[in-house]
Amino acid sequence: MQWETSISEVSSDGERIRGYRLDELATNLSFAETIWLILFGEIPTKQKTKLFEAMLITTIDHGIGTPSAMTARIATSGGATLPAAAAAGVLSLGPRHGGAITQAAQMLAVAVTKQESASALVERYKQEAKRLPGYGHKLFTKQDPRTKTLLSLARDLQLSGPHAVLAEEIETMAAKTFSQLLPLNIDGAIAALGLDMELPAESLNGIFLIGRMPGIIAHIIEEQMGTKPMRRLSPDETAYHGAPPRSITHSDNDAF
Amino acid sequence: MQWETSISEVSSDGERIRGYRLDELATNLSFAETIWLILFGEIPTKQKTKLFEAMLITTIDHGIGTPSAMTARIATSGGATLPAAAAAGVLSLGPRHGGAITQAAQMLAVAVTKQESASALVERYKQEAKRLPGYGHKLFTKQDPRTKTLLSLARDLQLSGPHAVLAEEIETMAAKTFSQLLPLNIDGAIAALGLDMELPAESLNGIFLIGRMPGIIAHIIEEQMGTKPMRRLSPDETAYHGAPPRSITHSDNDAF
Amino acid sequence: MQWETSISEVSSDGERIRGYRLDELATNLSFAETIWLILFGEIPTKQKTKLFEAMLITTIDHGIGTPSAMTARIATSGGATLPAAAAAGVLSLGPRHGGAITQAAQMLAVAVTKQESASALVERYKQEAKRLPGYGHKLFTKQDPRTKTLLSLARDLQLSGPHAVLAEEIETMAAKTFSQLLPLNIDGAIAALGLDMELPAESLNGIFLIGRMPGIIAHIIEEQMGTKPMRRLSPDETAYHGAPPRSITHSDNDAF
Amino acid sequence: MQWETSISEVSSDGERIRGYRLDELATNLSFAETIWLILFGEIPTKQKTKLFEAMLITTIDHGIGTPSAMTARIATSGGATLPAAAAAGVLSLGPRHGGAITQAAQMLAVAVTKQESASALVERYKQEAKRLPGYGHKLFTKQDPRTKTLLSLARDLQLSGPHAVLAEEIETMAAKTFSQLLPLNIDGAIAALGLDMELPAESLNGIFLIGRMPGIIAHIIEEQMGTKPMRRLSPDETAYHGAPPRSITHSDNDAF
């Protein structure tokens, strides 16, 4: 099996990432610039770097009560090593937790290409009784402050484009159309701004994973340093609603 | 890189596990017998199979409140796929949750080899203020019913040997020596009985992982079928004890 | 947060799985029967148990060259713990490796319900240029011997039903329709026979995960016992096709 | 169960990390500065930020032939989702792959505290036939270029201290003492410089996990975009050395 790559080249002389010597990157670029380079192949402009840093920072942690922090800490409490607990945290980042970015990006990209208006799009989702990916948040029910920061910064940096414009129009139309407010959330904002910076839609979810990793590690280290024993639910936090007490009878498992 | 193995051989004619044709195994053996074969290289006797089945069954699930069930269900609630959620569950099975088997086996194996008595061993652990691996349980504070079932079955099958005898003597001595009861738990029982069946100490923890997998899968399927949204802690379940609200000042991040 | 379950109930008296005392299960049932019970809620008949054991056995391992064995062994070679390496193995079990069961089950269930014939279904997949889930294998290009074993056993046990019949008819029609043979593979056979035993389609992929776990553990233990250092590709096994050697220039990263 | 943390506080008004508003961090700090803040509690100086960025960059990827890249790509080839494949990559980062940082830090911290000389330390390891953690590399057999970059940068920034000095002295002494060169590797350099910046030893391994995540994601995206089918070893890449072909006999599985 031959393994081919365009990412990096390693020899006994050293390593090159996307053609650049690793030591040149380490002494000249920021970590965020190097992340962009390894993911997308080129060094970003200063403006794009600034917005990219902000995107990574806003995903770094959303509190101890989120699935990624909880699974990482519970695994740690069972004695998992640092990589094992970090993996457990990462594994909770599915479509309902950080992973709506991909669907939101697809929705926005198609709508911009087809020049579908925000009102038509929202109406269509309402008719089909589908959830708008990248909208709504359990805690930030009126407005997601992280989103506003990113959109405002993008405008200041002149990086905001048609996807961000559409994303905000959808937020406005959704408020008029649905019975509850559905603010543009962080997943939706990363999708819109990533597309406006011409990043490939399928890679945007990776930004969330990279951005969240330090938060997961911080929760693991805090849990390791604590003195708490294995986390388990107390009996009053659980409820059993299954079959009543019973015994095995002959008829359960009849003759062969 | 050449990959060598003694486990299985696959060709276009079919597969052999430890020398036996897979189809012959599938029509003639039980799953537990085949697990033993793939792990240890030979088909077990009927007596060993019976005890091994019981060991696997007693580890299958220990309630929704354990780390393995919680992490698997939380990951599922975030939208993780079945393998991803199963992996999250497995990752919480560290030294404090199912993983004390290895340490317990080492303690018992060394003590039997050196003919150390239970009283000397317990006294030594007390002097060194070390925890006895394989003893004590948060819920089963007086006696672990799962352990009693396995030890009794092993005696009936004439598979109980010096490690099980020592394990029970340690339980008795610990009750006299420490201020709280430290019943032999399921980790300790699997360690003792695995050694009495002459299984390699380093493989015993694998039995727990295999036995627990169906329970993890059952919790994931139940969570998938439920209608609950993403599981997250409510504000009254969390408490923040960190730095007070503050703003970035010049001195935080001084001149380069 | 209240955690509700119908799977198990744990108290200081002991544990019940689906209503049965764990110790009663451990002394009276096989591991496979208990797996069925915890997944599906009831104790299976002897016939269903026999077929279920065979399904679990045929998935136990498909050689050192499969993704699940390779990832588990490579992670072990990097120093991963047993649970961490097992999780790495499980994570490679995606739609292209053991995970086609779900899609195959959906295809077969819909076709049986709608009484679509094998010829119509195969023609439809050909027209839409879609892959038939549960058919074809890289190594078993003419016939998958594991599948034949399961289907034959199911017939002997009188557990074969309309889904297995359709699955074999599709295999025959596909041979006439496509340019290469597409034998019913193990994923397709588990899907068909699971449906014929009236198991829920969404749980069938779990059978593969449970069945494969012992094989993954066996590979990890063998890797741990070996003396090989960290597995890494040698330079002649890799090829770099990316950007040529270059240096950072001013224009890469222009003025802010 | 009450969940306590000092990392972050989330309310419907927004979020604070270590006391700072997330939007203030996103608009004023770099990603690397925010990583330092969430891990260690305070905003780093410009000098420490510069060295920290370089540490993260030098760990970002070490080629397609490393366990973390291979497991992530193999899992992807089996159909794993982005988080699942990322977790598989992270899980290979054990003590032999990025995880020697912890042991190297412990060795250096104790030696500096006890004022043990490099020659005494190297002699002690030779006597005990133990490996020096943080030294030696399969490819960089004479000198690890990444290490030299970091140590030189640390000196320029006046952040080099007793641990870095000792680390280099050990490299020199090891060259005189052992039969093969054992250059200070990237794990050892991160350990030494982390300690010189007064970071807690137990958190240093987390830097490697955070730094490597973008490289893992880049490999997954490249693998997803490729057209390769499931990666599996060809028959000539594997070798079976186990039991010869055999059949089940009565004596394998004797009477109960």
Side-chain angles (χ1 to χ4, degrees), chain C residues 126-142:
Chain C
K126 192 187 179 188
Q127 295 290 333
E128 298 173 10
K130 289 201 301 187
R131 282 200 57 184
L132 280 169
Y135 290 84
H137 194 273
K138 193 158 185 181
L139 197 62
F140 303 130
T141 51
K142 292 184 183 163

Side-chain angles (χ1 to χ4, degrees), chain B residues 18 34-41 52 203 207 210, chain C residues 214 217-218 221:
Chain B
R18 304 285 188 186
T34 313
I35 295 171
W36 182 294
L37 171 67
I38 202 167
L39 291 179
F40 309 123
F52 190 56
S203 69
I207 297 172
I210 294 166
Chain C
I217 301 289
I221 292 175

Side-chain angles (χ1 to χ4, degrees), chain B residues 37-64:
Chain B
L37 171 67
I38 202 167
L39 291 179
F40 309 123
E42 299 296 333
I43 298 173
T45 64
K46 286 289 177 201
Q47 288 88 332
K48 288 183 176 175
T49 298
K50 180 72 187 159
L51 183 57
F52 190 56
E53 302 253 21
M55 288 166 72
L56 290 165
I57 292 169
T58 48
T59 60
I60 203 165
D61 175 71
H62 295 156
I64 193 172

Side-chain angles (χ1 to χ4, degrees), chain B residues 6-28:
Chain B
S6 298
I7 296 170
S8 55
E9 191 175 19
V10 182
S11 74
S12 56
D13 291 335
E15 180 176 358
R16 285 181 183 270
I17 304 276
R18 304 285 188 186
Y20 297 100
R21 290 206 329 273
L22 185 58
D23 61 342
E24 190 183 8
L25 300 176
T27 46
N28 287 282

Side-chain angles (χ1 to χ4, degrees), chain A residues 31-233:
Chain A
F31 183 42
E33 287 170 314
T34 313
I35 295 172
W36 182 294
L37 172 67
I38 202 168
L39 290 180
F40 310 123
E42 299 297 333
I43 297 173
T45 64
K46 286 290 179 203
Q47 290 88 331
K48 287 183 177 175
T49 299
K50 180 72 187 161
L51 183 57
F52 190 56
E53 303 251 21
M55 288 166 72
L56 290 165
I57 292 169
T58 49
T59 60
I60 203 166
D61 175 70
H62 295 157
I64 192 173
T66 55
S68 51
M70 288 172 77
T71 51
R73 295 186 78 129
I74 295 171
T76 302
S77 84
T81 59
L82 185 63
V90 166
L91 288 168
S92 72
L93 296 170
R96 274 183 267 169
H97 181 34
I101 293 172
T102 307
Q103 294 104 294
Q106 286 163 344
M107 179 184 76
L108 293 170
V110 169
V112 164
T113 303
K114 292 190 175 174
Q115 299 190 294
E116 185 178 30
S117 72
S119 61
L121 186 149
V122 170
E123 194 54 43
R124 182 163 59 83
Y125 271 76
K126 192 186 178 188
Q127 294 291 333
E128 299 174 10
K130 288 200 303 187
R131 285 199 56 181
L132 281 168
Y135 290 84
H137 194 274
K138 192 157 186 182
L139 197 62
F140 304 131
T141 50
K142 292 184 183 164
Q143 187 175 297
D144 186 333
R146 305 163 301 181
T147 298
K148 295 300 151 194
T149 303
L150 288 181
L151 290 171
S152 166
L153 182 64
R155 273 190 296 269
D156 293 349
L157 294 163
Q158 298 187 289
L159 289 169
S160 188
H163 300 92
V165 169
L166 178 63
E168 289 198 283
E169 288 173 353
I170 290 172
E171 184 181 42
T172 307
M173 289 309 304
K176 295 178 186 166
T177 306
F178 293 104
S179 55
Q180 64 171 139
L181 288 176
L182 289 172
L184 180 64
N185 63 31
I186 188 76
D187 288 8
I190 290 175
L193 295 174
L195 291 172
D196 279 341
M197 290 196 288
E198 298 178 14
L199 300 178
E202 58 271 40
S203 68
L204 298 176
N205 200 32
I207 298 172
F208 195 97
L209 292 177
I210 295 166
R212 178 55 54 93
M213 195 66 169
I216 290 172
I217 300 289
H219 280 287
I220 295 169
I221 292 175
E222 189 179 63
E223 184 81 17
Q224 286 177 331
M225 290 180 172
T227 55
K228 292 280 174 74
M230 187 176 94
R231 287 184 187 268
R232 59 187 309 150
L233 297 173

Side-chain angles (χ1 to χ4, degrees), chain D residues 23-229:
Chain D
D23 62 340
E24 190 184 9
L25 301 176
T27 46
N28 288 281
L29 296 192
S30 72
F31 183 41
E33 287 170 315
T34 314
I35 295 171
W36 181 294
L37 172 67
I38 201 167
L39 289 180
F40 310 124
E42 299 297 333
I43 297 173
T45 64
K46 286 290 179 203
Q47 289 90 330
K48 288 183 176 175
T49 299
K50 180 71 186 161
L51 183 57
F52 190 56
E53 303 252 21
M55 288 165 72
L56 290 165
I57 291 169
T58 48
T59 60
I60 202 165
D61 175 71
H62 295 156
I64 192 174
T66 55
S68 50
M70 288 172 77
T71 51
R73 295 186 79 129
I74 295 171
T76 302
S77 84
T81 60
L82 186 63
V90 166
L91 288 168
S92 72
L93 297 169
R96 273 183 268 170
H97 182 33
I101 294 172
T102 308
Q103 294 103 295
Q106 287 163 343
M107 178 185 77
L108 293 171
V110 169
V112 165
T113 303
K114 293 190 174 175
Q115 298 190 295
E116 185 178 30
S117 72
S119 60
L121 186 148
V122 171
E123 194 56 42
R124 180 163 58 84
Y125 271 75
K126 192 186 179 189
Q127 295 291 333
E128 298 174 10
K130 287 201 303 186
R131 284 200 55 181
L132 281 169
Y135 290 84
H137 194 274
K138 190 156 187 183
L139 198 62
F140 304 130
T141 50
K142 292 183 183 165
Q143 187 175 297
D144 187 332
R146 306 163 299 181
T147 299
K148 295 300 151 192
T149 302
L150 288 181
L151 291 171
S152 166
L153 183 63
R155 273 189 296 268
D156 292 349
L157 293 163
Q158 299 187 288
L159 289 170
S160 188
H163 301 91
V165 169
L166 177 63
E168 290 198 283
E169 289 172 353
I170 291 172
E171 185 181 41
T172 306
M173 289 308 304
K176 296 179 186 166
T177 307
F178 293 103
S179 55
Q180 64 171 139
L181 289 176
L182 289 173
L184 179 64
N185 63 32
I186 188 76
D187 288 8
I190 290 175
L193 296 173
L195 292 172
D196 279 340
M197 290 198 287
E198 298 179 12
L199 300 178
E202 60 269 39
S203 68
L204 297 175
N205 199 32
I207 296 172
F208 194 97
L209 292 178
I210 294 166
R212 178 54 54 93
M213 194 66 169
I216 290 172
I217 300 289
H219 280 287
I220 295 169
I221 292 175
E222 190 179 62
E223 183 81 17
Q224 286 177 332
M225 289 180 173
T227 55
K228 293 280 175 75

